[in-house]
Amino acid sequence: MVIKRRALLGGLAGAPALGLNQASAQPAASDSAGRFPDRPVRFVVAYAAGGAADNQNRLAAQKLTEIWGKQVIVENKPGGNTLIATETVMRAPADGHTLLSVSLPFALNPLMFDRLPYDPFHDFMPVGLISTIPNILVVHPSFPARNVAEFVAYAKANPQKIAVAHTGIGSVTHLSGELLYDIAGIEVTTVAYTGSAPAHIDVLSGRVQAMFDSSMLPHIAAGRVRALGVTSKQRVALLPDVPTIAEQGFPDYDAVAFYGLVAPRGTPPEIVEKISADLRTAVQQPETQERMKTLTFLPGNTTPAQFDQFIRNEVSLWGDLVKRRKIQPGS
């Protein structure tokens, strides 16, 4: 399968919302937005503290705290393929004070679970994209491969002998690997964790040989892991000597993570619009962009309607792979 990476962020201006409650695309009209927020705001994150999802949410939360003058609290609720966090926010009051940080599993879970307690396109309203981010395939220094071709060759000679960590079925850390295995025709053993931080412990110790992840830069610099390839079409500025996977014999390979915010259905549209506008202000500030650069994040800049379309395009990009690889909870 060939998955063509999006050219969405520049081309979404004016794109209509296709779901996730179209009311969120309507102009602000009431005084409720002017009073928002009137107490602390929660970002509920479906992953453990310390990983990429947690880092970018804390950065956005810090900037919105400065803008609003009210504390934005990041609350980590890992587990259940993101279902624990998702249900928490779905049942929260629809007033904008409890928001869900979403990534790919939010949209792909319906393709993997026979029954879900939520519908991503009806139970939530899109707010905006915080960031996109490439992952990096890293291995423990004891692993013999020094590039992606050698990684693939080792996997072919040793089927299912490579253990690869990821942050949950359907996460981009998981699907980045599945895409490579699919294109290269290899099989490995995957090991699920509740977030990047606990996975790092096992990768750094050598209990698990490899991982696709975005928050290993300090460990790469220190030589505690070896970077084999970047999952995006472009190299990472902070790792200019690490080629992309596409450059290493797999030209159709392209996998980028995203993080954004959604609100419970029924949240007043004017509040959704205010949060979205303030989020765009927060992530476009020069100091925010500089910090994101050090973490290899690319700042988002979407309206609720554009973020809706972005999520739908992600489902289209990854859905076929999920079906063909028969990816399900526990797979």
Side-chain angles (χ1 to χ4, degrees):
M1 176 190 69
V2 177
I3 292 184
K4 298 295 184 183
R5 175 49 50 194
R6 66 187 78 75
L8 290 176
L9 294 183
L12 279 176
L18 299 183
L20 287 158
N21 197 322
Q22 294 186 26
S24 64
Q26 300 303 312
S30 83
D31 292 337
S32 61
R35 297 190 299 270
F36 178 89
D38 58 16
R39 58 186 183 280
V41 174
R42 285 193 301 160
F43 285 2
V44 180
V45 179
Y47 301 100
D54 186 64
N55 288 339
Q56 57 85 37
N57 275 281
R58 290 185 186 278
L59 181 57
Q62 175 189 337
K63 292 302 177 182
L64 286 173
T65 295
E66 295 170 5
I67 291 170
W68 289 336
K70 291 288 191 296
Q71 186 69 39
V72 180
I73 301 164
V74 174
E75 182 175 332
N76 301 92
K77 285 188 172 292
N81 282 91
T82 74
L83 296 182
I84 294 173
T86 303
E87 285 192 81
T88 296
V89 177
M90 184 177 68
R91 296 191 171 95
D95 57 13
H97 289 86
T98 302
L99 303 170
L100 177 66
S101 172
V102 297
S103 54
L104 191 57
F106 172 76
L108 284 188
N109 276 341
L111 300 179
M112 297 185 293
F113 288 82
D114 291 333
R115 298 180 64 184
L116 275 181
Y118 76 96
D119 183 324
F121 298 109
H122 292 93
D123 293 327
F124 294 89
M125 302 168 69
V127 174
L129 181 69
I130 299 175
S131 63
T132 58
I133 181 171
N135 284 310
I136 301 161
L137 171 57
V138 299
V139 296
H140 188 267
S142 65
F143 190 76
R146 305 195 73 84
N147 55 52
V148 175
E150 291 179 1
F151 179 91
V152 169
Y154 185 94
K156 287 183 175 180
N158 301 274
Q160 297 187 331
K161 292 295 178 65
I162 303 175
V164 183
H166 63 78
T167 58
I169 302 297
S171 67
V172 172
T173 62
H174 173 225
L175 295 182
S176 293
E178 291 292 336
L179 180 58
L180 178 61
Y181 317 148
D182 188 63
I183 293 173
I186 59 175
E187 294 297 334
V188 306
T189 297
T190 61
V191 185
Y193 293 82
T194 58
S196 295
H200 289 180
I201 294 172
D202 281 358
V203 176
L204 293 171
S205 71
R207 294 189 194 95
V208 175
Q209 290 93 348
M211 184 177 184
F212 291 80
D213 189 61
S214 62
S215 51
M216 281 280 200
L217 289 176
H219 302 303
I220 294 170
R224 290 187 286 267
V225 292
R226 181 186 305 126
L228 302 187
V230 177
T231 65
S232 60
K233 284 291 190 182
Q234 295 78 35
R235 295 192 185 195
V236 172
L238 296 177
L239 296 170
D241 296 329
V242 178
T244 68
I245 293 174
E247 289 179 276
Q248 299 183 65
F250 304 95
D252 294 328
Y253 186 95
D254 190 13
V256 179
F258 78 87
Y259 300 103
L261 295 174
V262 298
R265 181 181 61 183
T267 302
E270 61 272 16
I271 288 180
V272 171
E273 289 288 349
K274 174 176 172 54
I275 298 171
S276 182
D278 290 341
L279 176 65
R280 293 195 296 276
T281 297
V283 301
Q284 292 299 316
Q285 291 178 356
E287 60 269 29
T288 308
Q289 295 196 5
E290 187 61 29
R291 176 57 178 154
M292 284 189 168
K293 181 180 178 181
T294 67
L295 297 170
T296 71
F297 299 161
L298 299 175
N301 185 21
T302 63
T303 65
Q306 291 166 352
F307 187 43
D308 177 274
Q309 186 64 63
F310 180 96
I311 293 173
R312 290 179 180 275
N313 275 274
E314 288 296 292
V315 173
S316 177
L317 284 168
W318 292 107
D320 187 51
L321 179 71
V322 167
K323 293 174 183 176
R324 189 174 61 260
R325 297 281 293 178
K326 297 181 173 60
I327 297 171
Q328 296 178 330
S331 62

